[in-house]
Amino acid sequence: MSHGPLPDRDDQATPAAGTGPAAAIDRGLAILNSIIVVLAAIALVAACAILSYSVLSRALFKAANYWQDEAAVFLLVGATFMTAAYVQQNRGHIGIEAFVGLLSPLANRIRLWLVDAATFLFCAFFTWKSWTLAHEAYVDGQVSNSMWSPPLAIPYSLMALGMSLLCVQILVQLALPFAGARRS
């Protein structure tokens, strides 16, 4: 694992420059990802507030807290999966970059493209399974096992939507080199 700027990526990703469909989709995803990140930050703050309220109400007032844990988990699941495309867009995932300094710039671009292709295959499978879970939960009316019993279609749908956005983001990143667009 390395720290600091890496030769195969910029400090901050910017939308692709160009006029093709891949560049346009990349710019649209950048705007959507920015909005989702703000909403995810609000969800994280809300989860913190809910969990803090849960601890205080249980400790001070001996109040039952049957809904707080699940509400916080739902918010955390949504924030985690919905921001996956943003993380991919900025290449913010954890990676071991042992070969970056040893390979030529062309070899690094090929390596990065191959890793993105393998990642897309995994994420596409995960997306398909997530949509299957969300559909089953909705059709069967599945709810959690708590007293609150919120529908499980909520977190499964957030998971499926987030993974779908991640797949679109990876597809755009795979297509950009062939479309002649480069990140500016």
Side-chain angles (χ1 to χ4, degrees):
M1 185 154 41
S2 61
H3 301 281
L6 297 173
D8 68 337
R9 59 183 150 176
D10 300 324
D11 286 343
Q12 178 142 8
T14 55
T19 58
I25 293 170
D26 191 48
R27 287 190 298 274
L29 278 173
I31 293 167
L32 181 61
N33 286 336
S34 298
I35 294 167
I36 289 172
V37 165
V38 170
L39 295 173
I42 293 168
L44 290 176
V45 170
C48 290
I50 288 169
L51 289 174
S52 297
Y53 168 76
S54 172
V55 169
L56 288 174
S57 67
R58 192 173 357 154
L60 298 177
F61 307 115
K62 308 287 187 244
N65 59 358
Y66 54 86
W67 64 271
Q68 290 95 335
D69 290 341
E70 277 183 315
V73 167
F74 282 22
L75 289 168
L76 292 172
V77 166
T80 301
F81 282 95
M82 292 300 293
T83 57
Y86 175 82
V87 173
Q88 177 65 28
Q89 177 187 27
N90 290 292
R91 300 238 181 242
H93 51 275
I94 296 173
I96 299 172
E97 304 288 340
F99 297 112
V100 172
L102 301 174
L103 299 175
S104 69
L106 175 63
N108 271 324
R109 284 194 300 273
I110 292 170
R111 175 193 59 82
L112 197 59
W113 192 89
L114 290 173
V115 168
D116 283 348
T119 302
F120 173 75
L121 292 175
F122 171 79
C123 290
F125 175 75
F126 195 105
T127 301
W128 170 65
K129 290 305 287 180
S130 297
W131 281 113
T132 302
L133 281 172
H135 180 261
E136 287 175 6
Y138 179 76
V139 169
D140 295 342
Q142 295 175 8
V143 295
S144 71
N145 291 330
S146 71
M147 288 177 60
W148 183 32
S149 300
L152 289 176
I154 296 170
Y156 292 159
S157 296
L158 290 171
M159 191 168 63
L161 186 59
M163 290 305 294
S164 297
L165 286 172
L166 177 59
C167 282
V168 171
Q169 182 67 53
I170 294 170
L171 276 177
V172 167
Q173 288 176 334
L174 286 170
L176 284 176
F178 299 109
R182 304 197 106 196
R183 289 194 173 272
S184 53

